[in-house]
Amino acid sequence: PRSTIDSYDWDNDYAEMTATGAATATALASVSLSNHSYGYGANSDDMGRYEKEAQTVDALVWAMPYYLPLWAAGNEQDSLTALGGYQSITFNSLAKNILTIGAVNDAVVAGVRNPSSGSMSPFSSWGPTDDGRIKPDLVANGVSVYSSTAGSDSSYDGTYSGTSMATPNAAGSAALLQQLYANSFGQRPRASLLKALLIHTADDLGNPGPDYKFGWGLINAKAAADFRRDGVRELYFPAQAWPGRLQPPHDARRQNIPPHDGEVARRILG
């Protein structure tokens, strides 16, 4: 293994995130991704409400543009039922500058990936937020995931289900994409670019387009990696810049320079 994981208790998270989060592209000793598989007990008054916990996370992450937290959407679809399971995402998971991850069934069956097999779990919390924003952002496998435990450095104990399983699944995919970007450009991507890349290349599930159950869809790490390799320069050199051409000039597309991350993110989500 060539990855390093820093593990913390959850009860001092803001201070730890502030101390370790990556503020620059070259701060390689800093944390660029974090997984948050925890939340607070919520009641109907908290449903979909953008409150101080979400605001605190947004302000914290805004100050560190190369740091992307991934947060579990929660498992309250079947307990916060005042709106039929909708708006059952609460607290930090409603922040704007993070990736909120819901849980679906495994899309890989007998070694073959079929997005339609990634059906919604009976527990994964749904959006929207009170102001109508899409949440969750994405979904990943979080049902019957073979999981490690705290017993030792090598202990595993059967399978577990929850958005707490889906979120580290997504974080691992994000880490691989960060590595691919760094191998190409010698630095990390901005969090906004990484988030946009994952959203843009997800497999749509549920209703056409983004929805309040699946967000923008099922994470597809291969599609994101292929797009990074094959598509990012086309975004940086948009076809509109060369009227009458379907693609920019060949020599322009071959320039292997890192695009301005914010501009690419804007074009992807545009």
Side-chain angles (χ1 to χ4, degrees), residues 114-239:
N114 181 1
S116 64
S117 297
S119 55
M120 177 53 57
S121 68
F123 53 79
S124 185
S125 293
W126 297 342
T129 65
D130 273 350
D131 59 3
R133 285 183 292 115
I134 296 290
K135 286 288 176 178
D137 297 302
L138 294 162
V139 294
N141 178 24
V143 178
S144 298
V145 178
Y146 186 57
S147 302
S148 59
T149 63
S152 72
D153 289 345
S154 59
S155 63
Y156 286 80
D157 182 22
T159 60
Y160 292 83
S161 297
T163 57
S164 289
M165 301 292 107
T167 308
N169 176 339
S173 296
L176 291 173
L177 293 171
Q178 277 193 337
Q179 181 181 2
L180 178 63
Y181 188 96
N183 288 345
S184 299
F185 298 127
Q187 64 181 51
R188 291 168 169 163
R190 282 180 178 265
S192 58
L193 174 58
L194 182 58
K195 179 177 180 178
L197 181 61
L198 286 164
I199 284 174
H200 180 75
T201 56
D203 292 314
D204 189 26
L205 296 177
N207 295 331
D211 61 53
Y212 299 141
K213 296 181 179 181
F214 298 91
W216 274 268
L218 177 66
I219 285 179
N220 187 332
K222 184 181 186 302
D226 290 343
F227 184 85
R228 215 285 329 139
R229 284 193 298 261
D230 303 332
V232 75
R233 287 190 292 277
E234 279 76 354
L235 283 173
Y236 185 59
F237 299 103

Side-chain angles (χ1 to χ4, degrees), residues 22-29 32 65-66 181-182 185-190 261:
T24 66
T26 55
L28 300 183
S32 55
Y66 291 87
Y181 188 96
F185 298 127
Q187 64 181 51
R188 291 168 169 163
R190 282 180 178 265
D261 294 338

Side-chain angles (χ1 to χ4, degrees), residues 32 52 132 176 246 258 264:
S32 55
K52 66 177 183 179
L176 291 173
L246 292 178
V264 172

Side-chain angles (χ1 to χ4, degrees), residues 234 237-239 241-243 245-255:
E234 279 76 354
F237 299 103
W242 292 271
R245 292 179 180 265
L246 292 178
Q247 294 289 349
H250 182 69
D251 56 344
R253 288 191 292 123
R254 285 177 60 84
Q255 294 186 46

